[in-house]
Amino acid sequence: MIRQLLRPRLRSRRIGPLAAGVVALLAATLLAAAGLALAGYDPAAAGRALVSGAFGSWERFASITLVRATPLILTGLAVALAFRAGVWNIGAEGQLYAGAVAAVWVGLTFPGAPAWLLLPGAMAAAAVAGGLWTLVPVGLKLRAGVGEVITTILMNFVAIHTVAWLVHGPLQEARGVFPQTDPVALAARLPRLGSGRLHAGFPVAVVLAGALWWLLRHSAWGFRVRAVGASIRAAAVSGRIHTGRVVLGAFLLSGMLAGLAGGVEVAGVTFALYENLSPGYGYTAIAVALLAGLNPLAVLLAAGFFGVLQAGAAAMQRDVGVPAVWVSAIEALVILAVVAADRFLRRGMAGKGGG
Amino acid sequence: MGGAAVEMRSVSKRFGSVEALADANLSARPGEVHALLGENGAGKTTLMRVLCGMLRPDGGEVLVEGRRLPPEGTRAAAAAGVGMVHQHFTLVPSLTVAENVALGTREGGGFRLALERVHERLTELEQVTGLPVDPGAAVAGLSVGAKQRVEILKALYRDPRVLVLDEPTTVLGPQEVDWLFGVLRSLVEEARTVLLIGHKLDEILRVADRVTVLRRGRTVLAEGREAVDAPGLARAMIGRETTPAARPARVEAGERVARLKAVGALGEDGRTAVRDVTLEVHRGEIVGIGGVEGNGQRELALVLSGRRRPAAGSADLPATVSLIPQDRGAGGLVAGFDLAENTALAFHDDDAHRRGPLIDWAAMRGTAHEIVTGFDVRAPGWRATAQSLSGGNRQKLLVGRELARAPDLLVAENPMRGLDIAAAAFLRAKLVELKGGGPGAEEAGGAGGRPAGAAPGIVLFSTDLDEVLDLADRVFVLVRGQLIAVPEAERNPAGMGRPMFGSEQA
């Protein structure tokens, strides 16, 4: 009986994501090609531009694709962690901005500090600010039972408009020309890796993804997060899990990851704060996390996929002259195809294997 | 009498490596209540799901009133007149009774739902069945018994020739069971057929005309009511003799482990569900609390087990309290977690099951294994999720886990509900052993072990009065949130029933 019990039944699950990916890629390619052809562009040339834009050379891949993927990894992890705990944090965008503000403030305020202190200080400030940005939603959720979907979205608006006010007012550059801050001190910037624009934020994000995966799988804390997310009632009834504390911890940590994304973006890419610093990373992160099935390791792949798409789309616009709106539409089509294929394949398998 | 209303021949069905049905036969005539009996996992529900077209059998055939049904398809089965009341509720909580009934009917035809017609017909049905249900009420606010009535109405609404009920009495109080059986009798008088899955033999024998028994997916007995008795059926179900449960000896109670003082608690709807409850529980005693479902049992159990802070009064509780919530394990297990993960809900921060901040999954699987073998949980594999287990096996897993904590206090809400005869007898014996601090306690201690004499106090909530009377050292009833002690001289069903159903005195 034990022998029989120990036999794993994982085989069918393994094939799933791979097959879904292949089918989705084919479907997305066909859809995008048809759309481009209809609009009068050469799909083949556009495709070549996309591939060469994202993968053309190591230089390009690292400097554009991976740099794009980095904030998506961090915000994707933030969303994945929150969702695993049953916390619907839609506020990664606002938390990212809070982190960016904190990192810039530290970078501008202590220009004389040594790099070994200033850079970690700025990153820590970014994470803490992201975490603090969740306090209003988390407090309202735990104290008054207010749904966090609404409150986190509202906090996004607060963050975005606060940034606008800051860069037009108190934090505006000394010249007072553009609505942006002065660049942060060199000591507050992330070191570059190699000759391109790839910065140290990328390996940090990869390590954090691995760490989060490992914690969720093996640690008692991770188990509590998964239990609360899967059934808050069963977790409460077990008597060993303080569900409020788990929700609070996961929510704060989620905000910290998103805040760090903002700090890394400032310290690794923009060096200054301005409006529209994020092209919606915090929202794309939801697609990244869901596509990854809320698995932190898969978040790396999903974020990489979106990085490729964004890098390739930029090249398509530049080299083939496909207008930006078309590029956005194609991006959206690809995302839809991937999500749909993923769902259909999973459901098909559940239907056959279930019972 | 013409042909059979339902004829199922040599039906077989496998789920992976588990043979749910091997050679199941069933023949039910028009105008009879036909009981389908068997242990947990014997294949009763699977067989009925085949009948309703929800599952495609691997072999065999199904005929309804002489016509062969296609192997799968709920529409064909419904068109042939088969209706089913499922074991678990299939109602949409946010909709009204009438809207729930209208779901899946063709009422209205076009875009507009003709809810007035549903209301009308429900009122008719209400007169026929004598069943009080407000068609406009939201399902979320109904008691469990009322939800069950809605489920039955929903099935009756479609005017079925064959009505299947999967363990409908588990959530009903005694009078509701009587009411239900009355409805079933009036149905068969109209030459309809009722197929009734059950596990309480005395109940089944009261209402059934014929009985079919399944054991491990095979039909092992098919007889008329007059040819069977309870011991014979029990034998057929488990394949061997059972010994009647011995009534436990009264034991001297030990030190006090828990005390509630003037405790009040709020229900889910925010209204007072428990008021002014004062109760002391001692080691080595079973406190039995009877009562009709929905009188505050759930809230009192949560407070008594420390899962919820009382809204009023004070609760003085020991360190380790086990809770077996109702709903056949659904409340205490995570559906998508496997056996070891569900075990970990109670043990993940236990010293024997972790290394620093990490869970020791090997140790956890060891404990899960002890529970699975000790309580005969039948699972298709270690990676099996709770949702892939049958209701009875989920309950066994949950009970096993909660006993394995070696609690100072055990709070159990209807723990026998949904267990088959052998498992229920086993659990009764366990409870009795446990309160004696005997070998059972140590064995159940699993990871820890404990000195004899450190027996837990046990609080047993049950809607089954006989269960309370059989097992409890002290008997109470819970009526509209108030705990009423039943004096020793009144220790009988009538004595318990008086405060439960007597005059309004709250």
Side-chain angles (χ1 to χ4, degrees), chain B residues 31-35 185 188 207-211 223-226:
Chain B
E32 73 178 10
V33 174
H34 193 110
R185 292 263 40 120
V188 296
V207 71
D209 298 306
R210 284 166 56 79
V211 180
E223 293 279 1
R225 163 71 184 91
E226 63 291 344

Side-chain angles (χ1 to χ4, degrees), chain A residues 71-138:
Chain A
L72 289 176
I73 294 174
L74 289 169
T75 49
L77 292 176
V79 173
L81 169 62
F83 284 17
R84 279 304 271 275
V87 171
W88 305 109
N89 179 10
I90 314 295
E93 183 80 355
Q95 291 140 24
L96 178 149
Y97 272 112
V101 169
V104 163
W105 181 79
V106 170
L108 291 175
T109 312
F110 308 103
W116 63 265
L117 187 62
L118 191 57
L119 183 62
M123 293 304 99
V128 168
L132 289 178
W133 208 248
T134 66
L135 277 186
V136 170
V138 85

Side-chain angles (χ1 to χ4, degrees), chain A residues 5 218 220 226 237-238 240, chain B residues 307 341 349 357 359 382 405:
Chain A
L5 282 176
H218 295 288
R226 290 193 287 132
V237 158
S238 82
R240 288 294 191 96
Chain B
R307 270 42 166 193
E341 286 173 319
D349 58 353
I359 292 179
W382 267 120
R405 291 178 194 235

Side-chain angles (χ1 to χ4, degrees), chain B residues 17-107:
Chain B
S17 58
V18 177
E19 193 171 49
L21 293 174
D23 176 21
N25 294 283
L26 184 141
S27 176
R29 298 169 192 154
E32 73 178 10
V33 174
H34 193 110
L36 181 58
L37 300 172
E39 286 201 290
N40 294 326
K44 298 164 300 203
T45 301
T46 307
L47 187 64
M48 288 303 100
R49 287 169 59 126
V50 167
L51 174 61
C52 297
M54 296 166 67
L55 280 177
R56 173 186 287 268
D58 298 331
E61 59 177 356
V62 180
L63 293 93
V64 173
E65 301 193 318
R67 265 171 314 192
R68 228 184 126 153
L69 288 189
E72 196 173 2
T74 50
R75 276 169 197 240
V82 180
M84 181 156 178
V85 175
H86 292 276
Q87 189 181 339
H88 306 287
F89 292 136
T90 56
L91 301 172
V92 182
S94 56
L95 298 184
T96 65
V97 170
E99 285 167 339
N100 265 291
V101 170
L103 277 181
T105 66
R106 286 167 187 279
E107 220 57 89

